[in-house]
Amino acid sequence: ASGPSSLEALEQQCDGYVEQMDRGDGRLLELHFLVLEAGLWPRAAAREKPARRLLARAYSFHAAFLEGNGREREEVRAYAERALDLSVGRSPWEAWWSTPVHSLVWAAPAERDAAGSRRRVALARRWLDLSADAGWQSALYRDMAEYATAAGDTAAALDWAGRAHVLAQDQDDPLVLHLAGHVRGRALLAAGLPAEALALLPSDGHATPHQQLWDSCYRVEARLALSDRSGAQEELRHAFALCREHDLPTGLPGQLARRL
């Protein structure tokens, strides 16, 4: 770093790093976050509220970056907790708080089994009433539906995924609707309703490359459940193309390829 910058310039840097992450470009991104956080920390420690808020945002998306790249859960949780410690109860609610909450729930120190998934549902549910904002509640219902699906609680997953989808339709944000469609599609697939799932699993480009890869892989599963092998192969080719283009891990599409 060349030296101190204005908070406005640092916020623009943070926004740029988030856009870079959304494009699936992770080059030097963790180093960028570390430099940004190091520059903000003295100002936040001196109780500058705008600096504290920006540091919390940096920690939030740093946690999301680590989560998306398969880093240790303890590391993800540490950054998410820092972000929330600097925000909740210290400043008015903001929509981006859903990012560290999502990471915190994902990284919770619980077993990676049905019981652990139910504990994650309970943890997400505790944050639900922090705001009545439809986007916030849609995000929390998505997480609750995801973990209920993992726990095999199909009825609860379908209910919460449906609520997330309805709330997302009231938002002027294609990404929120995309994510809600993905989660509802997964819940329907887990419930043995592949045709209904396929109708909801997104196929547009409104999401990050990681999310597009997950969408594509679940469409492969839906096609397989419908005995549509040629459609599944086409979807799988698309998944591997995303991996090549954005240097994404091929574990999930590789598993599906072995099934085919």
Side-chain angles (χ1 to χ4, degrees):
S2 58
S5 299
S6 69
L7 278 178
E8 182 181 33
L10 292 173
E11 182 132 32
Q12 289 175 351
Q13 285 182 26
C14 187
D15 291 342
Y17 301 153
V18 175
E19 290 174 6
Q20 180 182 338
M21 184 170 66
D22 287 347
R23 292 195 304 271
D25 179 4
R27 291 173 297 176
L28 296 180
L29 195 51
E30 186 172 13
L31 181 59
H32 286 315
F33 276 124
L34 289 168
V35 171
L36 176 62
E37 291 155 8
L40 285 167
W41 173 250
R43 301 186 194 190
R47 300 184 182 276
E48 290 184 33
K49 287 185 178 180
R52 188 177 63 200
R53 173 190 173 274
L54 183 52
L55 181 59
R57 282 194 71 218
Y59 284 150
S60 296
F61 293 106
H62 193 163
F65 172 77
L66 295 173
E67 178 188 342
N69 283 272
R71 296 282 281 274
E72 292 293 331
R73 293 177 186 272
E74 291 79 4
E75 195 175 6
V76 174
R77 187 172 68 253
Y79 279 98
E81 286 177 342
R82 290 175 197 174
L84 293 167
D85 285 346
L86 287 169
S87 306
V88 178
R90 294 173 179 264
S91 58
W93 173 88
E94 293 190 71
W96 58 263
W97 289 9
S98 62
T99 298
V101 169
H102 172 88
S103 294
L104 184 69
V105 173
W106 178 84
E111 297 84 353
R112 316 313 300 180
D113 57 11
S117 293
R118 292 189 184 101
R119 279 191 278 276
R120 285 174 172 79
V121 169
L123 178 57
R125 199 169 194 168
R126 287 205 292 270
W127 289 92
L128 188 63
D129 294 332
L130 187 65
S131 171
D133 178 80
W136 169 265
Q137 296 215 336
S138 181
L140 268 295
Y141 278 129
R142 285 200 314 264
D143 283 348
M144 289 160 61
E146 286 266 16
Y147 293 114
T149 298
D153 298 336
T154 304
L158 289 171
D159 178 35
W160 291 326
R163 294 190 199 192
H165 202 220
V166 169
L167 288 164
Q169 289 169 342
D170 293 334
Q171 301 294 294
D172 187 24
D173 187 337
L175 178 58
V176 172
L177 189 57
H178 181 116
L179 295 173
H182 171 88
V183 170
R184 195 173 186 186
R186 284 189 62 184
L188 287 163
L189 187 58
L193 300 167
E196 292 86 341
L198 193 59
L200 280 172
L201 285 165
S203 58
D204 55 52
H206 287 306
T208 65
H210 278 100
Q211 181 64 45
Q212 291 179 52
L213 177 61
W214 294 327
D215 293 333
S216 187
C217 287
Y218 283 107
R219 289 199 303 272
V220 172
E221 290 209 19
R223 297 279 185 192
L224 286 173
L226 292 167
S227 301
D228 178 8
R229 290 182 63 82
S230 62
Q233 288 170 342
E234 184 60 34
E235 292 285 3
L236 194 57
R237 279 193 286 271
H238 176 64
F240 278 114
L242 283 168
C243 292
R244 289 193 299 272
E245 182 180 355
H246 299 286
D247 193 27
L248 299 176
T250 59
L252 186 53
Q255 292 173 21
L256 293 167
R258 287 188 287 275
R259 283 176 57 184
L260 273 168

